[in-house]
């Protein structure tokens, strides 16, 4: 069974602080995605990374895919209360499958 | 586009009853996924369809669960009989599976409570 472990599980920080969330696995993924989920809603896609070593930026969010395509990180600069939510990584295994394995999740709370 | 539509949004039922969850994917998408989310187990893939055909149902917990996709715009997830441990939020997601696209779009979920 492929597993995606995220760390930390919970994170409570003050507005303006920086943070990094990690997503690790022993499996190689064709691509990896990050989602944010707010209470009572479904996950919303933030980014997809495909190439090992790839870095993508979305405003204050920076996403990196590991060189071996087994891990990824999400870095948030100057966190804001609107960043509060559950962050999920999801990996696609294989080239001709669309089976997504979701990570264990990181619950982030940004205090004003 | 209205996005992925799920109904009902909330369902409360008694143990032993049949429950049917419904999903309308985004028009033009050819893959549909059913997930279950709980605090203990996180987000688990139950089954996914590609072009209305079930491709992988290895995540379906047991025979009490069944899913159908009679056409490209509708899918159901049925639990019969339901048990308290089935209580969870069930999400449907759709995507266009082609080339290098792997982007999924989730519906708002159905919160199921089995008493």
């Amino acid at each position: 069974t492929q597993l995606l472990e995220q760390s930390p599980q919970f994170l409570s920080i003050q507005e303006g602080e920086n943070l990094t969330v990690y997503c690790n696995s022993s499996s190689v993924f064709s691509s990896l995605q990050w989602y944010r989920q707010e209470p009572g809603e479904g996950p919303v896609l933030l980014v997809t990374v495909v190439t090992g070593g790839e870095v993508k930026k979305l405003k204050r969010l920076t996403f990196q895919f590991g060189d071996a395509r087994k891990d990824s990180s999400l870095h948030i600069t100057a966190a804001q209360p609107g960043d509060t939510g559950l962050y999920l990584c999801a990996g696609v295994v294989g080239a001709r499958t669309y089976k997504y394995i979701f990570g264990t999740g990181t619950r982030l709370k940004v205090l004003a | 586009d209205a996005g992925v539509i799920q109904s009902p949004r909330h369902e409360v039922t008694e143990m032993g009853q049949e429950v049917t969850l419904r999903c309308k994917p985004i028009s033009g998408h050819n893959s549909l996924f059913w997930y279950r989310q709980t605090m203990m187990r996180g987000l688990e893939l139950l089954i996914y369809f590609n072009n209305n055909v079930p491709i992988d149902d290895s995540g379906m917990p047991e025979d009490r669960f069944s899913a159908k996709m009679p056409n490209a715009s509708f899918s159901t997830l049925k639990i019969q009989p339901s048990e308290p441990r089935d209580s969870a939020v069930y999400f449907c997601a759709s995507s266009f599976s082609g080339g290098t696209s792997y982007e999924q779009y989730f519906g708002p979920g159905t919160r199921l409570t089995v008493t």
Side-chain angles (χ1 to χ4, degrees), chain A residues 30-31 33 35 37 40-43 45 48 50 86 88 92 94-100 102-103 107, chain B residues 9 31 33 35 37 39 43 45 48 50 56 58 91 95 97-104 106-108:
Chain A
S30 303
S31 70
Q33 303 175 329
Y35 293 79
Q37 184 179 17
E41 300 180 7
L45 180 67
T48 300
V50 179
L86 176 67
L88 296 161
V92 177
R96 291 200 178 92
T97 177
Y98 298 94
K99 184 171 183 174
Y100 298 77
F102 273 81
R107 202 167 291 277
Chain B
R9 291 295 310 274
S31 288
F33 306 79
Y35 291 90
Q37 188 174 40
M39 287 294 291
L43 195 60
L45 177 65
Y48 84 92
N50 187 246
D56 189 325
S58 59
F91 288 102
S95 70
S97 301
T100 59
S101 173
Y102 295 101
E103 300 181 359
Q104 290 184 99
F106 281 78

Side-chain angles (χ1 to χ4, degrees), chain A residues 20-103:
Chain A
T20 301
V21 176
Y22 299 93
C23 174
N24 294 290
S25 176
S26 58
S27 300
V28 176
F29 294 101
S30 303
S31 70
L32 194 136
Q33 303 175 329
W34 285 92
Y35 293 79
R36 180 169 67 215
Q37 184 179 17
E38 298 188 17
E41 300 180 7
V44 175
L45 180 67
L46 296 174
V47 77
T48 300
V49 285
V50 179
T51 307
E54 182 176 3
V55 177
K56 280 192 175 179
K57 291 193 174 183
L58 185 66
K59 296 183 181 178
R60 294 177 294 101
L61 278 59
T62 302
F63 305 85
Q64 183 161 9
F65 200 11
D67 291 340
R69 291 184 290 134
K70 293 183 178 181
D71 56 87
S72 180
S73 64
L74 158 60
H75 182 78
I76 301 179
T77 303
Q80 299 177 0
D83 296 327
T84 294
L86 176 67
Y87 287 82
L88 296 161
C89 62
V92 177
V93 180
R96 291 200 178 92
T97 177
Y98 298 94
K99 184 171 183 174
Y100 298 77
I101 308 296
F102 273 81

Side-chain angles (χ1 to χ4, degrees), chain B residues 5-13 17-24 32-37 46-47 49 60 64-70 74-80 82 86-92 109-114:
Chain B
I5 298 173
Q6 290 186 247
S7 65
R9 291 295 310 274
H10 302 273
E11 177 80 40
V12 180
T13 190
Q17 296 298 306
E18 177 180 295
V19 175
T20 299
L21 310 182
R22 297 173 176 80
C23 175
K24 177 179 168 53
L32 183 140
F33 306 79
W34 281 102
Y35 291 90
R36 178 172 67 178
Q37 188 174 40
L46 300 177
I47 185 171
F49 295 83
M60 296 286 261
R64 297 185 297 107
F65 286 68
S66 62
K68 293 182 179 180
M69 192 164 186
F74 184 67
S75 177
T76 59
L77 177 67
K78 186 177 292 186
I79 308 173
Q80 165 63 18
S82 58
D86 301 330
S87 297
V89 181
Y90 290 81
F91 288 102
C92 175
T110 295
R111 181 173 294 276
L112 173 65
T113 302
V114 183

